Amino acid sequence: MKPKVAFFDFASCEGCQLAILNCEDILLDILNLVNLVEFREAISEKAPRYDIAFVEGSIHRDEDIERLQNLRSRTTVLVALGACACNGCVQARSNFVAPAVNYEAVYGEDARNRVQVDADFWSLWSHTRVRPLDAVVKVDAYLRGCPVVPAEFLHLVKSMLRGTTPYFPPDAVCVECKKNGNECVLERGETCMGPITWGGCNSICVNNGYVCDGCRGTLPHANIQSHITLMREHNIKDEDIRSRYRLFLGAEPIGRGV
Amino acid sequence: MSYHLATQQNVINWIRGLASENPVYFPEKYGHASYRFAKVEADSEIQFEHYTPTVLPPVKLLIPAREELLSFRKHSDGKTEINPTLDESFRVIAGVRPCDLKGIFLIDLFLKEGVADAHYLARRENTALIGWACTAPCDSRVFCAAVDSLHHSEGADVFITPLKNGDVLLEIKTRLGEKLAAGTDWQPCDDGPAKKVGVVASMQEPFGRTFPVGVQDIFKKVAKNWKSPIWDKHVERCFSCGTCNLVCPTCYCFDVNDDMNLDVTSGNRTRTWDACMLPHFAVVGGGHNFRPDPAARQRHRVKRKFEYLPEKFGHGAVCVGCGRCGRQCTAKIDIYDIILDLINEGERS
Amino acid sequence: MNTAASRYDRIARETFIPQIGKIVEVADMTAKDRFFRVVLENPLGHRPGQFVMVSVLGLGEAPISISNGPTGDNILEMVIRRIGRLTRAIHELNVGDELGIRGPYGSGFSLDDFYDRDVLFVAGGLGLVPLRSLIVPVIAERGRFGDITLISGCRNPAEELYRDQLERWTTDAGMDVIRLVDSTENMPWKFGTGLVTEPIPKMTMDAEKIVVALCGPPVMYKFVIKTLMLRGVKDTQIFVDLERRMKCGVGKCGHCQINNIYCCQDGPVFRFSDLSAIPEALQ
């Protein structure tokens, strides 16, 4: 029996599902091995139970929580797909802004004033804390990154097919950066989230001349204090350090604490 | 085996000639202020002037970050076929500084000892090394002289020493070196050793950073310090990112991983660089971690370079003083500072 | 070039390339430990206390203790606990399935250290598995040893390994067998409760004549050794079997290095006097 696989999304750009669709060279081989029952980006079919559910997106509203809990009850394995599902991603930045301020920024002052007096809109204000999936339900595996890494997706699928646990080593981005022979970002006079960030991305951003923004979340052993000291030594203002941390880590405890 | 004289241009032409026939790797400048060993192409710049040690040492060309050890296939008759994956292609690594030659020399010892590492051996024995003597310290961080690697040339097939007049002294050290030098118009030189001594005598003193004691005394001091606040002091800022291991010319630890192809009948086994500073390096099956604490891992790394491997192999320090680990550590931890602290700690107690 | 090619190929086959073993028997020992008998293409030729690198091709490889005595044939016996990805996958295998096997590796025990002495085996949990490869040849030459005692401890009655074997050893091996559990956890159990250290102070023991072989979880060693030393047993008379992470088995990958020793080559069996100056060994 081929395992029933489904994809779902919450608040996200669906870019991770696209990243998987982009693995054209292996996608057909994978589809031979699984039974894809739900994939909004590609097909539309409903099933009552799944073996593996890939869930993209972060959790914002009460109805999201209900939907996710329902999903959890219908799947054997739940995989958090991408940064939104693993650690909240960029939208978790709004955790640090008052809901009304956010609303005003998007819809303008008039709209904000109107909805504040209209009780039908009040529930909006309670809906704005952005959470990763594991703040709501148990997550069995994490495919980190914005977007996810096809090689990790493939490793996970193969592991699930063999009934084994996928292994993603808790190594900093620096490990792959060195393996790729990159000049350290610090050598270029820039700062980097690499030393505290989960690797597995093959240091793709640094390989291409950019810096690591930490989209894959902080490592369990991350030495945050040391990283802040490092940023300060590079004359980064505390305000900007905070901003770097909140770019992708706004829903992580560390993003709130810095 | 023999000494010759040539101009730098002679040597550059020679290397270009070699590169037209075989892959030749030579240090090239890249990024903002870094160097790396890159394949010499027709338009590559070849210059023997000053350069800081490459981001990765040349020995890593012989132990790639990820290499296939074997591939396997289950045939339809039920038989499983397993074959080693070996790279026996020929290559030349040129412009290798004494510290890096020492690194390769030590890795030779480690990986050929006991049961030889076939995959390393296949690459190493099909690699020619062209060394280049240092006459001035690369930068202020090196301490090659202090760990006896500044004058290392063993393992090079041809070793080049720049002379004061701008020409170079070429020392052909092996049969392979002779083969590489065939057809060159270098002038035979009768007083090669004396010329070399002259160059060494005119080198600046001290050369790079120094230690107040010699290598043998460093070993004693390092061996004495098991419980020391120094280990804690130098990991306060450590990210446990493994950079110090990964850029080290004498680190060779590896992890092994299997992969199955989607056809579920074939796959391969690869090894990748591992690092004893990574938190999970010493975790066993049941989950117990024998070195959970970064200070214990740091102590292991330092003692491996200055106590364990020197004791086991008897070829001096297993740190070549290239300064890569300290230069590239994002937390500014420098093995030189640790050793210096250990030496001074010994003085106090 | 051809001769060189075959040389690297030969060395690789002697080191990193596993031979294929066929599983001929599988039996549950406890809820999480399973016995495997494997027939190899070539004789194993192992010493007691050695280990093999076992792989499920495409998944991974890990060091596993050999549990059968050194018979010189091509039979390999192991007891594998389900603790990680690889061991879970091995537990899925059945008779007729294949395993990749490299080795045997490590120093192992030498019977010469045990002849004409009283022998004490102390096994904690899975530690009984490698010790069995020593107990079997010792019993086979029973007359060449003095008193033989085995203290075998585990967490609870359900976790005891080699139950039938322990029964037989108790009745007709000429060996004192002390079977202990940390707690009966309300399961039927007609033997003792307590830690493996507890019988040691009460044993009749000739501290000069005894040799001890010790294998168990890391936490056990310190306490057992301390207890033995209080009885006057010297560190030269104690052999320990250590567990470390290993990726190659041939002293290259660096994972099993404890100070200046490589567990895979210098061990996993060590005379304790060789470890006493090595603080990390028993941590």
Side-chain angles (χ1 to χ4, degrees):
Chain A
M1 266 281 280
K2 290 180 183 177
K4 276 187 192 160
V5 174
F7 286 77
F8 301 94
D9 46 71
F10 290 85
S12 64
C13 70
E14 299 185 14
C16 289
Q17 292 178 63
L18 277 178
I20 288 165
L21 279 181
N22 277 337
C23 314
E24 288 152 348
D25 47 335
I26 52 160
L27 206 56
L28 289 177
D29 290 329
I30 292 178
L31 287 176
N32 282 333
L33 300 168
V34 303
N35 181 14
L36 189 59
V37 291
E38 215 155 309
F39 197 134
R40 199 157 71 89
E41 290 284 346
I43 56 165
S44 182
E45 193 191 322
K46 303 272 178 197
R49 244 204 103 72
Y50 314 102
D51 294 302
I52 309 169
F54 291 92
V55 183
E56 186 179 354
S58 55
I59 304 303
H60 296 224
R61 306 167 302 171
D62 289 348
E63 45 265 57
D64 294 344
I65 294 175
E66 277 165 39
R67 188 174 154 230
L68 181 61
Q69 283 168 339
N70 177 281
L71 248 174
R72 174 72 263 190
S73 70
R74 288 193 292 137
T75 184
T76 310
V77 173
L78 191 146
V79 182
L81 183 72
C84 301
C86 292
N87 50 308
C89 202
V90 287
Q91 58 267 40
R93 256 184 118 92
S94 65
N95 285 350
F96 306 99
V97 186
V101 175
N102 253 342
Y103 199 85
E104 181 186 345
V106 178
Y107 299 106
E109 199 186 341
D110 284 353
R112 185 201 65 179
N113 292 341
R114 253 197 329 274
V115 299
Q116 278 188 312
V117 295
D118 185 339
D120 285 348
F121 285 87
W122 288 356
S123 58
L124 266 181
W125 313 134
S126 69
H127 284 162
T128 43
R129 196 163 72 78
V130 179
R131 281 149 290 182
L133 302 188
D134 63 6
V136 178
V137 295
K138 177 175 168 276
V139 171
D140 301 299
Y142 299 83
L143 285 174
R144 295 167 187 280
C146 181
V148 290
V149 178
E152 289 196 325
F153 171 72
L154 186 60
H155 170 64
L156 181 126
V157 169
K158 285 179 184 173
S159 304
M160 300 260 165
L161 287 172
R162 294 192 84 181
T164 63
T165 328
Y167 179 63
F168 303 108
D171 291 340
V173 171
C174 302
V175 171
E176 282 157 316
C177 215
K178 292 295 153 314
K179 286 180 180 173
N180 286 318
N182 288 331
E183 178 182 52
C184 185
V185 163
L186 299 174
E187 197 78 39
R188 312 197 310 233
E190 294 171 87
T191 55
C192 188
M193 300 293 278
I196 56 153
T197 301
W198 272 92
C201 53
N202 195 29
S203 63
I204 183 170
C205 293
V206 185
N207 301 353
N208 288 289
Y210 196 58
V211 306
C212 174
D213 272 331
C215 73
R216 297 174 58 84
T218 44
L219 284 162
H221 61 267
N223 190 342
I224 303 295
Q225 203 44 56
S226 172
H227 190 248
I228 291 170
T229 307
L230 175 72
M231 302 277 259
R232 284 179 180 150
E233 281 169 357
H234 278 75
N235 299 318
I236 312 281
K237 288 200 290 281
D238 281 10
E239 190 187 324
D240 296 331
I241 296 174
R242 199 171 294 126
S243 181
R244 289 289 298 274
Y245 269 83
R246 287 176 180 180
L247 181 55
F248 278 102
L249 311 176
E252 285 195 32
I254 185 59
R256 295 197 288 272
V258 171
Chain B
M1 282 157 66
S2 63
Y3 288 90
H4 302 264
L5 289 170
T7 64
Q8 289 211 16
Q9 194 54 48
N10 283 153
V11 173
I12 290 166
N13 294 344
W14 173 56
I15 288 174
R16 282 198 195 287
L18 293 175
S20 66
E21 287 161 20
N22 297 294
V24 175
Y25 295 86
F26 195 85
E28 102 179 342
K29 193 169 192 297
Y30 88 116
H32 282 62
S34 300
Y35 288 82
R36 66 179 164 200
F37 277 89
K39 214 161 158 181
V40 174
E41 307 288 350
D43 58 348
S44 297
E45 189 195 359
I46 295 182
Q47 55 89 21
F48 284 106
E49 297 305 309
H50 186 83
Y51 78 92
T52 49
T54 46
V55 168
L56 296 176
V59 72
K60 306 289 182 190
L61 291 168
L62 307 177
I63 323 170
R66 182 185 171 86
E67 87 176 295
E68 187 174 284
L69 293 176
L70 62 88
S71 62
F72 63 88
R73 177 173 291 282
K74 271 196 180 103
H75 292 292
S76 46
D77 62 0
K79 286 253 180 308
T80 304
E81 185 189 342
I82 311 175
N83 287 308
T85 311
L86 295 160
D87 176 1
E88 293 168 51
S89 63
F90 183 75
R91 69 188 67 69
V92 180
I93 310 177
V96 182
R97 300 290 168 139
C99 58
D100 285 337
L101 281 175
K102 174 90 177 281
I104 296 171
F105 168 83
L106 290 168
I107 297 284
D108 278 355
L109 280 180
F110 306 152
L111 294 186
K112 288 179 184 173
E113 183 253 356
V115 185
D117 183 313
H119 296 77
Y120 178 75
L121 215 59
R123 277 203 190 76
R124 178 66 184 91
E125 293 186 346
N126 288 296
T127 298
L129 296 177
I130 300 172
W132 182 269
C134 294
T135 48
C138 298
D139 66 7
S140 59
R141 306 190 75 102
V142 298
F143 51 99
C144 46
V147 289
D148 301 338
S149 70
L150 174 57
H151 301 299
H152 185 96
S153 66
E154 201 176 334
D157 297 289
V158 178
F159 190 74
I160 304 171
T161 307
L163 301 173
K164 273 237 151 57
N165 66 0
D167 288 348
V168 297
L169 176 73
L170 293 122
E171 193 180 345
I172 299 176
K173 293 169 71 78
T174 64
R175 237 173 252 290
L176 179 59
E178 252 171 18
K179 230 164 93 183
L180 292 178
T184 55
D185 53 357
W186 305 338
Q187 302 300 311
C189 171
D190 297 333
D191 61 342
K195 277 207 159 59
K196 242 180 121 175
V197 169
V199 171
V200 171
S202 67
M203 275 158 59
Q204 73 180 66
E205 191 70 44
F207 193 98
R209 294 190 283 182
T210 57
F211 290 122
V213 299
V215 170
Q216 292 303 326
D217 286 323
I218 296 176
F219 296 165
K220 282 183 207 141
K221 305 269 184 194
V222 172
K224 259 201 329 206
N225 277 291
W226 181 262
K227 279 186 183 149
S228 164
I230 291 165
W231 305 120
D232 294 306
K233 172 185 163 191
H234 287 279
V235 290
E236 213 171 285
R237 295 192 56 179
C238 180
F239 291 112
S240 298
C241 72
T243 294
C244 48
N245 297 131
L246 299 168
V247 302
C248 176
T250 68
C251 273
Y252 58 92
C253 289
F254 57 85
D255 194 10
V256 178
N257 289 292
D258 277 28
D259 193 29
M260 181 74 101
N261 296 330
L262 280 168
D263 62 14
V264 211
T265 58
S266 64
N268 65 3
R269 177 169 291 171
T270 51
R271 66 170 165 195
T272 50
W273 298 345
D274 208 339
C276 64
M277 287 304 289
L278 296 176
H280 51 93
F281 184 82
V283 176
V284 291
H288 184 80
N289 190 347
F290 285 94
R291 280 190 290 274
D293 178 18
R297 296 196 292 271
Q298 181 74 273
R299 178 176 59 203
H300 182 74
R301 177 175 84 97
V302 173
K303 284 185 170 260
R304 206 172 136 98
K305 306 286 178 210
F306 285 96
E307 179 187 343
Y308 306 154
L309 295 185
E311 216 170 80
K312 181 169 167 136
F313 290 95
H315 272 276
V318 178
C319 164
V320 299
C322 64
R324 282 186 177 91
C325 54
R327 203 177 287 116
Q328 294 186 59
C329 178
T330 51
K332 303 187 176 170
I333 301 164
D334 193 333
I335 197 167
Y336 175 88
D337 298 332
I338 302 175
I339 296 298
L340 205 57
D341 274 1
L342 289 169
I343 292 170
N344 293 333
E345 170 93 355
E347 289 300 316
R348 275 206 303 274
S349 64
Chain C
M1 215 55 186
N2 249 340
T3 50
S6 62
R7 183 172 150 251
Y8 304 127
D9 192 89
R10 181 178 55 74
I11 299 172
R13 285 184 193 280
E14 284 167 6
T15 51
F16 288 140
I17 307 297
Q19 59 166 310
I20 297 294
K22 246 196 174 58
I23 299 174
V24 293
E25 191 185 333
V26 179
D28 277 335
M29 279 215 158
T30 72
K32 54 185 178 179
D33 303 296
R34 195 168 283 183
F35 168 84
F36 291 87
R37 179 178 287 126
V38 177
V39 175
L40 303 169
E41 294 158 354
N42 307 305
L44 187 59
H46 71 286
R47 290 189 297 278
Q50 282 193 300
F51 65 95
V52 283
M53 296 296 290
V54 178
S55 51
V56 174
L57 288 173
L59 190 68
E61 190 177 48
I64 304 280
S65 300
I66 301 169
S67 70
N68 51 324
T71 45
D73 55 19
N74 49 0
I75 298 289
L76 163 67
E77 293 180 1
M78 303 172 285
V79 176
I80 297 174
R81 175 164 292 178
R82 197 171 59 230
I83 43 171
R85 307 171 58 222
L86 182 71
T87 49
R88 260 197 292 275
I90 294 174
H91 272 231
E92 300 290 313
L93 300 177
N94 290 312
V95 170
D97 287 339
E98 293 177 341
L99 281 172
I101 306 288
R102 295 195 288 128
Y105 294 122
S107 56
F109 294 101
S110 166
L111 282 172
D112 291 338
D113 295 319
F114 294 83
Y115 287 133
D116 304 321
R117 317 286 295 249
D118 293 338
V119 183
L120 169 63
F121 302 104
V122 184
L126 212 46
L128 184 58
V129 177
L131 275 188
R132 185 182 177 275
S133 70
L134 175 64
I135 297 172
V136 169
V138 165
I139 291 172
E141 293 187 275
R142 179 64 190 88
R144 299 190 63 177
F145 306 90
D147 294 341
I148 307 180
T149 311
L150 164 65
I151 305 172
S152 166
C154 54
R155 214 167 291 167
N156 61 50
E159 289 197 6
E160 194 179 46
L161 300 167
Y162 282 110
R163 248 162 268 166
D164 300 346
Q165 175 96 74
L166 288 169
E167 298 285 348
R168 277 193 313 257
W169 282 345
T170 310
T171 52
D172 42 62
M175 172 166 72
D176 275 340
V177 179
I178 303 169
R179 294 161 71 175
L180 296 170
V181 291
D182 296 350
S183 153
T184 60
E185 294 179 20
N186 297 322
M187 286 179 258
W189 179 250
K190 52 183 180 174
F191 309 99
T193 54
L195 302 172
V196 289
T197 45
E198 286 169 23
I200 296 171
K202 293 172 262 174
M203 277 175 67
T204 40
M205 182 191 288
D206 180 348
E208 296 286 312
K209 203 185 162 197
I210 202 164
V211 182
V212 186
L214 190 58
C215 188
V219 56
M220 185 186 100
Y221 291 100
K222 248 181 275 181
F223 296 106
V224 173
I225 289 167
K226 206 168 145 193
T227 316
L228 286 167
M229 292 204 161
L230 285 173
R231 294 281 327 247
V233 181
K234 287 200 222 43
D235 55 4
T236 50
Q237 293 161 257
I238 303 171
F239 292 88
V240 295
D241 188 346
L242 301 183
E243 181 198 15
R244 282 298 184 278
R245 185 172 173 218
M246 293 174 192
K247 284 292 180 174
C248 72
V250 291
K252 304 284 183 254
C253 80
H255 284 94
C256 70
Q257 193 181 5
I258 315 167
N259 292 32
N260 53 357
I261 55 173
Y262 285 83
C263 216
C264 68
Q265 288 186 305
D266 307 322
V269 176
F270 295 93
R271 200 187 279 271
F272 183 61
S273 50
D274 294 334
L275 294 180
S276 45
I278 296 177
E280 258 179 25
L282 299 186
Q283 262 167 17

